[in-house]
Amino acid sequence: MSTHAATKAPAVNFHGIWAIYRFEMARALRTLWQSLVTPVITTSLYFVVFGGAIGSKISTVGGVGYGSFIVPGLIMLSLLTQSISNASIGIYFPKFTGTVYELLSAPVSAMEMVIGYVGAAATKSIVLGLIILATASLFVPLSIVHPVAMLAFLVLTSITFSLLGFIIGVWANGFEQLNFIPALLITPLTFLGGAFYSIDMLPQPWRTVSLFNPVVYLVSGFRWAFFDKGDVSVGLSLGVTALFLVVCLAVISWIFKTGWRMKN
Amino acid sequence: MDTILSIVGVSKTYASGHRALEPVDLDIARGEIFALLGPNGAGKTTLISIICGIVTPSTGTVTVLGHDAQKDFRSARRAIGLVPQELSVDMFETVLATVKFSRRLFGKGPNDAHIEQVLRDLSLWDKRDAKIRELSGGMKRRVLIAKALSHEPEILFLDEPTAGVDVALRRDMWKLVHKLRAAGTTIILTTHYIEEAEEMADRVGVIDKGRIILVERKAALMKKLGKRRMLIALQAPMTAVPADLAAWNLALEDEGATLLYTFDSENEDIPGLLAKLGTLGIGYRDLETHKSSLEDIFVDLVEQKDAA
């Protein structure tokens, strides 16, 4: 064994990425109840309350039945919160238990670590989004005008918010902080981001204020993929999502360059 | 010396301002067992953590098998296995899964035969499907060792391997260390038990307050530092050590009531001394022997250092 260890290691540690990805997926399967079933039940409840009880008083929004109208927003709400919580717990837990020593001492680059953790978190979110979509189709008629764009938004949003979750997991010094950003920032932004209404329905100045909420662009783009209409143009939606992705990547590369909250 | 690991000018000051390590230079030879000996807080774990990539050094370079540990961390790190001091394990994983995970993480494809051998060597094979949280502390320590050996490292770090470990594991660990060494693995261990260094090491480095005070072959160090003392409680006090006993390094204590014999493994002659006392008709009530503790050795070393 001494002969080949003196040689240079391969440029990418695919085994390492796969190990982290599999570990994270196994963690989700162990806690299948929390990972998938709970969000589905929660979403179904939203659906019954907003779609059934309240929706019956609102006939259509922009020509789409209210029940169908809220489906993209509902999926987005779960996608954002679950991506963040999956990815943040994924990296926070090793820091908490001390097993992070192994990650830091392994021949795994920062980017490989991110691909493993964020890839697994995003995979779970995408599966979750599709399950919610299937659940919703049991309640209301659904047709997806741009299925490829719908999948693209699903994947892009899952990755972006898993990256954000990773950052939160690195930043957090306690379990309370893990819940802090999702509860105090993401959920309100999603509710106010047109998940359950079109921002056209808002009076001024709230309509303009809403345009500063990044989630508006996510929900709008996603809704466009379903119904071919959104609050803002699809190009703008895509642009804002991509911008957010780039910002998250920049923050993560800074974290690994400085070792912030990861290394002494 | 065929150097496998080279440390040049490595120091560490933590963000808090705590100076954990003064600039350290150290070369480790291929295949040797090196013990880093020092009290708690001396900088042992900091030094190991820097070599393994967990802590970023403030200055200096570490070279593993010719690879710079920072610039070419992949090549350097995959040659290293680390058993940390803390029992940090994934509680919900099974033993087998976590050991296989470690091998992949370090860039190696599956090798069930090797994993089985490692688990058998550590008496973990029967527990391979057990969840780690169900294991005792000693068993968890074994799991950490198995993880560190999963990718067939050329250099193994054992950070305080026997702290809080039962006799059976300590014996198994020593056996394993000898087996690994026979297979050519270089082993670096930290400890604050001198017995451990005595049992396992070829060379010993003594570290105190972030400084490596000395590095020596074990045999030489033990000769130099391993002083022993015997206290002989006399039946009748003496005023001076009899001239007939000049061959032994003796002194009187407790106003002549106790005879103190100081010796080391080189010039030990307890039977000769006791026989001579019998011949001279010097009676004694009690005998007590002491090995110099690590603490004594440190005090000696630090005093020598301060005096120099």
Side-chain angles (χ1 to χ4, degrees):
Chain A
M1 61 183 172
S2 59
T3 45
H4 44 86
T7 58
K8 267 181 103 68
V12 181
N13 182 354
F14 288 109
H15 283 297
I17 297 173
W18 181 236
I20 294 171
Y21 184 85
R22 274 234 319 222
F23 177 86
E24 283 298 295
M25 293 308 282
R27 194 169 63 82
L29 291 176
R30 267 200 310 267
T31 54
L32 192 64
W33 194 250
Q34 291 102 302
S35 296
L36 293 174
V37 180
T38 317
V40 168
I41 291 175
T42 315
T43 312
S44 299
L45 288 175
Y46 274 121
F47 208 81
V48 169
V49 173
F50 286 97
I54 297 169
S56 59
K57 305 279 184 279
I58 309 165
S59 50
T60 61
V61 180
V64 180
Y66 187 69
S68 307
F69 176 83
I70 64 166
V71 170
L74 273 178
I75 295 175
M76 231 3 125
L77 178 63
S78 292
L79 223 51
L80 303 192
T81 51
Q82 290 303 308
S83 295
I84 288 174
S85 92
N86 272 325
S88 62
I89 291 172
I91 188 66
Y92 176 74
F93 212 64
K95 285 201 325 171
F96 176 72
T97 59
T99 56
V100 73
Y101 87 86
E102 196 178 22
L103 287 168
L104 294 176
S105 66
V108 179
S109 73
M111 209 30 82
E112 286 159 359
M113 215 186 285
V114 170
I115 292 170
Y117 277 106
V118 169
T123 304
K124 285 180 262 183
S125 294
I126 291 163
V127 171
L128 175 75
L130 294 174
I131 288 176
I132 295 173
L133 184 62
T135 314
S137 70
L138 301 175
F139 289 87
V140 288
L142 269 179
S143 60
I144 302 162
V145 180
H146 308 287
V148 176
M150 190 280 287
L151 279 175
F153 269 108
L154 192 71
V155 171
L156 197 59
T157 309
S158 298
I159 292 173
T160 305
F161 280 79
S162 296
L163 286 169
L164 178 62
F166 190 87
I167 295 169
I168 293 170
V170 171
W171 164 77
N173 276 331
F175 279 102
E176 317 77 49
Q177 291 185 330
L178 278 187
N179 294 323
F180 182 77
I181 290 188
L184 263 84
L185 200 65
I186 302 303
T187 307
L189 283 181
T190 313
F191 270 88
L192 300 174
F196 302 111
Y197 55 86
S198 163
I199 60 166
D200 284 337
M201 295 157 81
L202 288 176
Q204 284 291 12
W206 300 113
R207 234 190 110 196
T208 310
V209 170
S210 291
L211 293 176
F212 290 97
N213 177 354
V215 179
V216 165
Y217 300 89
L218 295 174
V219 173
S220 170
F222 202 45
R223 190 172 284 143
W224 171 87
F226 276 81
F227 309 121
D228 197 29
K229 53 174 75 97
D231 291 334
V232 295
S233 81
V234 64
L236 191 57
S237 290
L238 206 59
V240 170
T241 313
L243 179 72
F244 199 45
L245 181 86
V246 170
V247 169
C248 288
L249 282 174
V251 172
I252 284 177
S253 60
W254 173 81
I255 284 175
F256 281 106
K257 208 167 267 170
T258 59
W260 182 71
R261 300 244 169 143
M262 291 285 286
K263 276 193 199 192
N264 281 312
Chain B
M1 179 159 95
D2 178 9
T3 304
I4 195 166
L5 169 66
S6 176
I7 299 158
V8 179
V10 165
S11 73
K12 179 66 185 178
T13 307
Y14 285 103
S16 60
H18 172 59
R19 182 94 168 138
L21 213 56
E22 300 295 333
V24 167
D25 297 300
L26 183 65
D27 279 346
I28 303 294
R30 180 185 291 277
E32 77 170 325
I33 301 181
F34 186 90
L36 199 54
L37 205 59
N40 292 324
K44 303 186 294 280
T45 301
T46 298
L47 182 57
I48 281 197
S49 299
I50 288 173
I51 299 166
C52 294
I54 298 168
V55 169
T56 314
S58 305
T59 64
T61 53
V62 175
T63 312
V64 182
L65 287 150
H67 304 292
D68 185 298
Q70 277 186 298
K71 288 189 201 109
D72 193 3
F73 69 94
R74 289 176 199 277
S75 305
R77 288 187 197 169
R78 69 176 192 159
I80 293 177
L82 166 66
V83 181
Q85 193 174 340
E86 304 287 333
L87 287 178
S88 307
V89 281
D90 284 303
M91 292 292 175
F92 304 105
E93 285 281 301
T94 66
V95 172
L96 190 59
T98 198
V99 176
K100 285 183 168 180
F101 167 82
S102 295
R103 184 178 170 88
R104 282 205 171 234
L105 192 67
F106 277 75
K108 292 241 172 146
N111 180 344
D112 290 345
H114 174 70
I115 301 285
E116 179 174 343
Q117 189 55 52
V118 167
L119 291 179
R120 285 193 187 280
D121 285 346
L122 287 158
S123 314
L124 279 171
W125 184 245
D126 294 337
K127 300 263 183 198
R128 63 189 179 277
D129 293 321
K131 289 263 197 303
I132 294 172
R133 63 172 165 182
E134 296 159 6
L135 302 179
S136 66
M139 281 290 175
K140 285 186 186 124
R141 172 90 48 196
R142 286 171 198 255
V143 172
L144 288 174
I145 300 170
K147 280 166 79 73
L149 293 174
S150 66
H151 63 282
E152 302 158 65
E154 290 194 62
I155 307 174
L156 180 68
F157 285 91
L158 296 162
D159 196 358
E160 300 279 349
T162 53
V165 147
D166 57 35
V167 181
L169 177 52
R170 191 174 298 208
R171 211 169 36 228
D172 279 8
M173 190 124 58
W174 287 351
K175 224 158 69 190
L176 183 74
V177 164
H178 288 305
K179 186 180 164 183
L180 287 169
R181 190 257 276 280
T185 309
T186 307
I187 296 162
I188 298 159
L189 60 99
T190 72
T191 180
H192 56 266
Y193 301 118
I194 197 159
E195 293 83 3
E196 203 155 277
E198 246 184 291
E199 171 70 29
M200 294 199 264
D202 299 313
R203 264 197 322 152
V204 177
V206 178
I207 185 169
D208 184 43
K209 299 191 187 100
R211 281 192 179 81
I212 293 198
I213 301 174
L214 93 169
V215 176
E216 253 188 289
R217 299 210 63 81
K218 179 183 68 184
L221 185 71
M222 293 318 291
K223 204 165 106 186
K224 199 148 108 186
L225 302 173
K227 271 192 223 144
R228 290 176 63 192
R229 291 157 11 121
M230 184 164 76
L231 294 168
I232 303 160
L234 300 169
Q235 278 175 345
M238 290 182 195
T239 49
V241 177
D244 288 335
L245 296 173
W248 292 270
N249 180 17
L250 295 172
L252 282 171
E253 286 196 342
D254 295 339
E255 293 164 352
T258 305
L259 200 56
L260 169 67
Y261 173 38
T262 309
F263 56 98
D264 56 37
S265 48
E266 292 287 290
N267 61 12
E268 166 183 350
D269 184 20
I270 295 175
L273 174 63
L274 295 183
K276 191 74 179 173
L277 289 176
T279 322
L280 295 175
I282 300 170
Y284 49 88
R285 293 180 286 112
D286 197 11
L287 295 173
E288 215 180 303
T289 63
H290 296 279
K291 239 183 190 169
S292 50
S293 68
L294 187 58
E295 213 168 317
D296 299 334
I297 291 176
F298 274 118
V299 171
D300 283 357
L301 277 172
V302 172
E303 277 173 359
Q304 280 171 24
K305 205 171 170 301
D306 290 348

